[in-house]
Amino acid sequence: MSSPSHRLAPARRSASGWSAVSGVVAGLVLVAVAELLSLAFSSSSAPFVAVGGAFVDIVPPGVKDLVISLFGTRDKLVLFLSMIVVYAALTALIGRLGATRPRPAAALLAGLGVLAMVLVLTRAQNTALDVVPTLIGTVVAVPTLLLLLRTVRAPAAVDDPGAAWTRRRSLLGIGAVGLLAVVAAATARSITASRELARRTAQYVLPTPRSTAAPIPPDAQVQLEGMPPFVTPNGEFYRIDTALAVPRVDPTTWQLRIHGLVDQELTMDFAQLLAEPMIEKHLTLACVSNPVGGDLAGNATWLGVPVRTLLERAGVKDGADMVLSRSIDGFTASTPLEALTDARDSLIAVGMNGEPLPAQHGYPVRMVVPGLYGYVSATKWLTELKVTRFADDVAYWSTRGWSERGPIKIASRVDVPRSFGELSPDGEGAVMLGGTAWAQQRGIAKIEVRIDDGDWREADLGAEVTEDTWVQWSLRWEDAAPGDHSVTVRATDGEGELQTSQRANPAPNGASGWHTVRFSVV
Ligand SMILES: Nc1nc2c(c(=O)[nH]1)N[C@H]1C(S)=C(S)[C@@H](COP(=O)(O)O)O[C@H]1N2
Ligand SMILES: [Mo]
């Protein structure tokens, strides 16, 4: 914008522009101060985390589904970016208002701070003390706003070059404060991130299992470029949860409480849990939000105490049919009692692929249950098991339109080729196709593959490890004709049930339908 003459009108216009900037900068100061201080408080004491968390809790059912279908596991990033945009717009408006009415503007900024404090208080793992970061952030930001507004509104004496220079310096000052706030907030965030990393590598010695899981045979893995690893490395395991900041759970103060319809309430600490006889189990977890062909599933070897053992000790009373497991952040899951007491070895898990649970996957303790989607069973950062009845208690997602029971549906997908990928025939004119399928608790008996409108062909199955783990399949397509094609896959489970072709969206109890991938042979 070139302004050959500085007359009053453009100066005033630019003053209101700078007022908006002042609003944004004061808003940044609020966040930066609160972020820095929140390092000493709960991970959800940071205002953005608390506000976002509250938002996640109240968004209408289906929105989560939509966001996950659009952005997958980047859902949290998308939420944070949207919040930043909304917050910048709000604080810019406040600043604008402040150009003519600074006090109401200051009151509005204080109001935003108070709103954030209220939302901080609604977070389950927060105590009243956790409002301190936002409180101090607000207390610093409000006078900052007034100060910045006064600087901006300083009468622009166009004829006085000295005053113009002072003014330019003030505007530079505003920019500097804004920059400092951004740097401070970013530093606080990166400290949080590096702490999470440090926590992930904070080792304690995992107990030796009483029974180890049979080793995974090498031919469970189909040797084909582009196939996912049969055992998902912890760092690649999908992550889905409502926690915008990974809860910080201290194993030295952690406790598990088992109560409700039991003969005697049980409370145990982490050392007591580690002293329990543990078993190891290969198990594929799957998310109810996984679309047909999606990758919200992962396979790991878990170490833990059978839930059954602890429920037997507490003594389940007649009439109970559900266990409501609770996370430190307030998330709950309703698991049918029998899934925790029958022979399937549902676990209170402390280990994942030979390591303590990573922070993102529930450190230090979570549940894993074969055959059920994660939202009704796989509670991370576990703190409580309430033995109850479906008639009496409702879990987090069930109050948001998802089914209260979530048995995993048969799923099969094509991993090779990728959608719109290209395959080159080998010397004999053949191409290799491959994929993954699961039907926990029933196992996969057969995989069939159809190319274009051809006949169904039976695929080769990699070694089945247990009925609770996924299997990999491959198909050698001889005489692959160059050109565009599609491949469709369907599975039959161990009970003889053929995967339905009926398309269903993830809500309310899991997607169904056959996965088709378009590709070309070149
Ligand atoms: N505390 C807590 N546990 C949770 C959730 C959550 O939002 N909060 N999400 C559940 C869902 S929907 C799934 S699919 C699994 C995912 O586990 P993962 O992130 O370790 O893959 O965790 C479950 N456990
Ligand atoms: Mo999920």
Side-chain angles (χ1 to χ4, degrees):
M1 207 169 57
S2 69
S3 65
S5 68
H6 1 357
R7 292 279 162 245
L8 267 175
R12 208 176 290 138
R13 200 181 308 139
S14 94
S16 88
W18 278 102
S19 303
V21 173
S22 302
V24 173
V25 168
L28 279 174
V29 167
L30 194 165
V31 170
V33 170
E35 280 283 342
L36 281 174
L37 292 173
S38 76
L39 291 172
F41 294 81
S42 121
S43 67
S44 51
S45 65
F48 261 63
V49 171
V51 172
F55 181 78
V56 168
D57 284 352
I58 60 164
V59 283
V63 171
K64 167 214 176 215
D65 197 24
L66 179 71
V67 172
I68 288 184
S69 70
L70 289 175
F71 306 106
T73 51
R74 283 186 300 263
D75 55 341
K76 293 179 173 66
L77 182 64
V78 170
L79 174 60
F80 276 127
L81 291 179
S82 327
M83 284 172 60
I84 289 172
V85 170
V86 170
Y87 185 65
L90 279 178
T91 48
L93 282 176
I94 288 177
R96 263 239 58 166
L97 171 72
T100 49
R101 309 184 61 201
R103 276 160 187 236
L108 279 177
L109 186 64
L112 279 187
V114 171
L115 181 67
M117 283 182 248
V118 170
L119 295 178
V120 165
L121 283 175
T122 64
R123 306 284 80 212
Q125 75 265 48
N126 286 354
T127 64
L129 258 186
D130 288 309
V131 300
V132 168
T134 312
L135 179 65
I136 297 186
T138 309
V139 165
V140 175
V142 169
T144 305
L145 175 67
L146 289 171
L147 195 78
L148 297 181
L149 286 172
R150 197 173 317 142
T151 310
V152 172
R153 280 179 311 139
V158 282
D159 300 335
D160 175 356
W165 169 238
T166 315
R167 195 178 135 73
R168 198 163 305 145
R169 268 215 321 235
S170 324
L171 298 184
L172 272 175
I174 296 179
V177 173
L179 196 68
L180 197 70
V182 169
V183 169
T187 308
R189 272 293 110 194
S190 77
I191 293 178
T192 305
S194 67
R195 273 189 188 171
E196 259 157 31
L197 210 75
R199 225 165 356 125
R200 215 171 297 147
T201 50
Q203 302 280 330
Y204 41 77
V205 180
L206 286 175
T208 319
R210 191 183 45 180
S211 75
T212 49
I216 288 165
D219 53 348
Q221 175 75 51
V222 164
Q223 297 299 333
L224 181 60
E225 200 187 312
M227 287 294 288
F230 185 83
V231 175
T232 316
N234 290 356
E236 283 169 36
F237 208 95
Y238 81 97
R239 172 190 171 199
I240 290 288
D241 53 61
T242 59
L244 290 182
V246 178
R248 296 181 194 132
V249 184
D250 179 355
T252 62
T253 55
W254 176 89
Q255 285 197 322
L256 176 66
R257 177 169 171 241
I258 303 179
H259 67 117
L261 296 173
V262 291
D263 296 331
Q264 54 174 15
E265 239 186 82
L266 250 172
T267 303
M268 59 196 324
D269 63 23
F270 194 57
Q272 290 168 323
L273 184 73
L274 288 189
E276 294 285 335
M278 301 222 167
I279 64 169
E280 225 182 16
K281 184 170 174 65
H282 305 303
L283 170 63
T284 300
L285 294 192
C287 182
V288 68
S289 297
N290 195 40
V292 170
D295 57 6
L296 298 180
N299 183 47
T301 305
W302 307 91
L303 173 75
V305 183
V307 188
R308 190 176 52 235
T309 320
L310 301 184
L311 289 179
E312 272 166 14
R313 199 173 305 158
V316 173
K317 286 201 164 126
D318 284 350
D321 64 2
M322 185 261 270
V323 172
L324 190 77
S325 51
R326 184 178 294 274
S327 154
I328 193 161
D329 69 354
F331 170 88
T332 52
S334 55
T335 311
L337 181 64
E338 61 171 25
L340 302 178
T341 53
D342 66 16
R344 77 183 74 180
D345 285 338
S346 300
L347 298 182
I348 309 273
V350 297
M352 180 177 185
N353 292 331
E355 289 170 17
L357 290 178
Q360 298 190 331
H361 297 290
Y363 178 88
V365 182
R366 77 175 302 171
M367 275 214 320
V368 291
V369 177
L372 304 181
Y373 287 122
Y375 82 108
V376 289
S377 66
T379 303
K380 306 190 270 191
W381 314 292
L382 180 72
T383 58
E384 189 187 314
L385 298 179
K386 180 183 181 192
V387 180
T388 178
R389 307 186 312 156
F390 277 105
D392 296 335
D393 278 293
V394 188
Y396 185 93
W397 286 114
S398 311
T399 61
R400 292 162 173 81
W402 296 74
S403 301
E404 60 182 15
R405 290 163 201 261
I408 295 179
K409 297 181 181 177
I410 310 175
S412 62
R413 71 172 187 227
V414 179
D415 294 310
V416 181
R418 295 265 152 219
S419 198
F420 298 106
E422 290 183 348
L423 294 177
S424 310
D426 62 16
E428 288 150 7
V431 297
M432 289 294 296
L433 312 174
T436 310
W438 58 88
Q440 290 85 332
Q441 285 289 287
R442 293 150 288 166
I444 295 290
K446 185 162 79 171
I447 294 288
E448 294 166 289
V449 175
R450 185 176 64 191
I451 293 160
D452 303 325
D453 296 326
D455 295 330
W456 289 99
R457 312 160 188 235
E458 204 170 327
D460 292 322
L461 292 186
E464 186 193 45
V465 175
T466 74
E467 60 181 17
D468 289 327
T469 52
W470 58 23
V471 296
Q472 297 191 341
W473 60 265
S474 63
L475 181 89
R476 186 179 157 86
W477 178 26
E478 318 271 355
D479 307 318
D484 293 340
H485 298 285
S486 71
V487 52
T488 301
V489 62
R490 68 182 191 190
T492 302
D493 75 11
E495 292 170 355
E497 185 186 334
L498 174 68
Q499 182 182 356
T500 179
S501 62
Q502 192 81 42
R503 276 267 168 177
N505 287 326
N509 60 8
S512 68
W514 296 338
H515 187 213
T516 296
V517 162
R518 287 174 204 292
F519 68 105
S520 42
V521 173
V522 292

